[in-house]
Amino acid sequence: DGGITQSPKYLFRKEGQNVTLSCEQNLNHDAMYWYRQDPGQGLRLIYYSQIVNDFQKGDIAEGYSVSREKKESFPLTVTSAQKNPTAFYLCASSYEGRKGDTQYFGPGTRLTVL
Amino acid sequence: DAKTTQPPSMDCAEGRAANLPCNHSTISGNEYVYWYRQIHSQGPQYIIHGLKNNETNEMASLIITEDRKSSTLILPHATLRDTAVYYCIVRPGRGSSNTGKLIFGQGTTLQVKP
């Protein structure tokens, strides 16, 4: 936790439906990140944003979209174009400044596509 | 690709110190060593990080060798709640041209036993 919330904790969707995962932080962090974790694997970067109204693709952005309209919020949409959406999704944030840039993670959302 | 090497698993008796090694022989001068841990089905938790000096906080100590090619995370009095996967990560410091992404390898599964 540490001021980063993700909802819901578990999410079920039918194949072909878009779904949006929420990520909110009250840490006044500038940067936010979305990672995906598959069973027994490390984390892979989907998208990241270093300032409001700007974001960049990570290593596995295909089939995902994001927005960063507010500093506190960085929602991730898993579209029907994502071929294997079932995974554990983690949001992180960091303070890009003189205090350093340690990333802190939310509790995660486990998405299952049926 | 992860730039660190960790043993896949370790056991530790409850109440004893847990010493988790990490090799990072290709680390660059401006790269930090970070440690996170992940308890099953939760988001990664930041533990500690360092550049070249040893570091200590309320959770753990980080010992970095003089040549910076390896480090050891020390949990001074392990409890059953410390059972988790521990990740050692190297990443560039602030100001470098990088995405900020964290590259998680396979980590070390620490099992604390009563």
Side-chain angles (χ1 to χ4, degrees), chain A residues 28-92:
Chain A
N28 198 32
H29 284 173
D30 297 303
M32 298 187 74
Y33 307 81
W34 274 106
Y35 293 87
R36 168 185 172 137
Q37 187 175 34
D38 293 286
Q41 303 296 315
L43 280 65
R44 292 183 289 168
L45 183 67
I46 305 172
Y47 267 98
Y48 65 101
S49 168
Q50 294 180 318
I51 56 173
V52 175
N53 292 323
D54 188 45
F55 49 83
Q56 287 79 38
K57 294 181 179 180
D59 299 322
I60 55 166
E62 185 176 354
Y64 299 97
S65 65
V66 293
S67 63
R68 186 83 188 277
E69 298 177 0
K70 299 186 299 182
K71 188 175 184 178
E72 304 79 22
S73 179
F74 191 40
L76 173 74
T77 296
V78 184
T79 75
S80 57
Q82 168 52 233
K83 296 179 181 178
N84 295 296
T86 295
F88 190 41
Y89 290 87
L90 290 154
C91 178

Side-chain angles (χ1 to χ4, degrees), chain A residues 9 33 35 37 40-43 45 48 50 59 88 90 97-98 100-107 110, chain B residues 34 36 38 40-46 49 87 91-94 98-106:
Chain A
K9 187 172 178 63
Y33 307 81
Y35 293 87
Q37 187 175 34
Q41 303 296 315
L43 280 65
L45 183 67
Y48 65 101
Q50 294 180 318
D59 299 322
F88 190 41
L90 290 154
R98 284 180 290 178
D101 56 359
T102 298
Q103 290 184 29
Y104 296 91
F105 286 82
R110 189 167 299 279
Chain B
Y34 277 77
Y36 284 81
Q38 188 174 25
H40 183 62
S41 295
Q42 297 183 21
Q45 178 187 22
Y46 165 77
H49 76 280
Y87 297 98
R91 60 170 299 194
R94 181 178 59 82
N98 68 89
T99 65
K101 74 177 178 181
L102 298 175
I103 301 176
F104 285 72
Q106 296 301 307

Side-chain angles (χ1 to χ4, degrees), chain B residues 3 8-9 14 22 29 38 45 49 59 65 72 77 79 82 86 91 111:
Chain B
K3 298 176 65 174
S9 63
E14 188 178 19
C22 179
Q38 188 174 25
Q45 178 187 22
H49 76 280
M59 289 183 67
T65 58
T72 301
H77 305 287
T79 71
D82 291 322
Y86 287 77
R91 60 170 299 194
Q111 182 72 48

Side-chain angles (χ1 to χ4, degrees), chain A residues 16-40:
Chain A
Q17 290 182 332
N18 291 355
V19 60
T20 298
L21 282 59
S22 168
C23 178
E24 304 278 333
Q25 54 96 3
N26 62 2
L27 301 170
N28 198 32
H29 284 173
D30 297 303
M32 298 187 74
Y33 307 81
W34 274 106
Y35 293 87
R36 168 185 172 137
Q37 187 175 34
D38 293 286

Side-chain angles (χ1 to χ4, degrees), chain B residues 44-105:
Chain B
Q45 178 187 22
Y46 165 77
I47 301 174
I48 199 167
H49 76 280
L51 183 62
K52 52 184 177 181
N53 296 322
N54 297 337
E55 301 288 344
T56 296
N57 63 22
E58 64 278 4
M59 289 183 67
S61 294
L62 174 60
I63 308 299
I64 302 174
T65 58
E66 192 169 345
D67 63 8
R68 302 210 321 124
K69 292 185 177 181
S70 65
S71 61
T72 301
L73 178 74
I74 301 172
L75 306 178
H77 305 287
T79 71
L80 298 178
R81 290 183 295 179
D82 291 322
T83 293
V85 180
Y86 287 77
Y87 297 98
C88 170
I89 300 165
V90 296
R91 60 170 299 194
R94 181 178 59 82
S96 301
S97 175
N98 68 89
T99 65
K101 74 177 178 181
L102 298 175
I103 301 176
F104 285 72

